Amino acid sequence: MEKIFHFDSPPEPYVADAAVLCCFDQRIRLATNKFLQRQRILRPDMIIVAGGAKTLASPRNDFERDFILEQVRMSILLHQTKRVFLMSHSDCATYGGLAAFDGDQNIESAHHKEELQRAAELLRTNFPEIGIEYFFVTFDGVFAAGTLSADHAA
Ligand SMILES: [Zn+2]
């Protein structure tokens, strides 16, 4: 193959600071990245899919949910991940956007909080040994929606 780009990347194996499940919506990408840095998540295993945490809370089908669970399982297995961040965001097209909530941001955020909690509980059932934190991203910041700490008895 012909080399068409030069860039030096660190080749060392790493332990992931967290697996991060978030939507592929470009509008929230920079805020998400800045937020992760602020949280000292410098080596995330990014799981970026349409809808983010929706794929666990309200998956379109079993395949979608199982695929995402497998991605988390691989992050734990390959990179010793101990934390998972679940994220959803305002005006997400997979929910029909803000319009699906009649333009009401309070109704939308309350709905997303329930969705994130459901996604977290599903993860907890599958991976009792990991800590789970979940967040709602809007166009002016990131809101903490809740946490489920690791069950060390598991
Ligand atoms: Zn989205």
Side-chain angles (χ1 to χ4, degrees), residues 17-21 35 39 41 53 82-88 116 119-120 123-124 130-136 143-150:
D17 297 318
V20 179
L21 175 60
F35 169 69
Q39 295 287 308
I41 305 297
K82 302 265 191 303
R83 301 166 77 187
V84 177
F85 279 22
L86 300 175
M87 310 190 78
S88 63
L116 287 162
L123 266 191
R124 160 45 37 86
I130 55 165
I132 304 163
E133 296 157 67
Y134 39 107
F135 306 93
F136 183 56
F143 294 79
T147 62
L148 285 176
S149 56

Side-chain angles (χ1 to χ4, degrees), residues 23 25 51 89 92-93:
C23 185
D25 194 313
H89 71 95
C92 186

Side-chain angles (χ1 to χ4, degrees), residues 49-132:
V49 291
K54 181 179 187 293
T55 56
L56 298 179
S58 303
R60 289 174 301 143
N61 50 50
D62 290 351
F63 168 80
E64 182 171 77
R65 182 197 58 223
D66 292 346
F67 177 78
I68 297 301
L69 288 174
E70 187 62 16
Q71 295 296 301
V72 174
R73 193 184 317 278
M74 294 294 278
S75 178
I76 294 168
L77 184 70
L78 302 177
H79 297 146
Q80 297 80 49
T81 302
K82 302 265 191 303
R83 301 166 77 187
V84 177
F85 279 22
L86 300 175
M87 310 190 78
S88 63
H89 71 95
S90 182
D91 198 35
C92 186
T94 66
Y95 285 92
L98 184 58
F101 304 94
D102 294 327
D104 189 323
Q105 292 180 328
N106 291 325
I107 295 173
E108 182 193 45
S109 67
H111 182 77
H112 277 284
K113 184 168 184 177
E114 287 177 13
E115 289 279 286
L116 287 162
Q117 282 170 338
R118 194 159 62 247
E121 280 157 18
L122 179 70
L123 266 191
R124 160 45 37 86
T125 302
N126 283 271
F127 309 106
E129 71 280 13
I130 55 165
I132 304 163

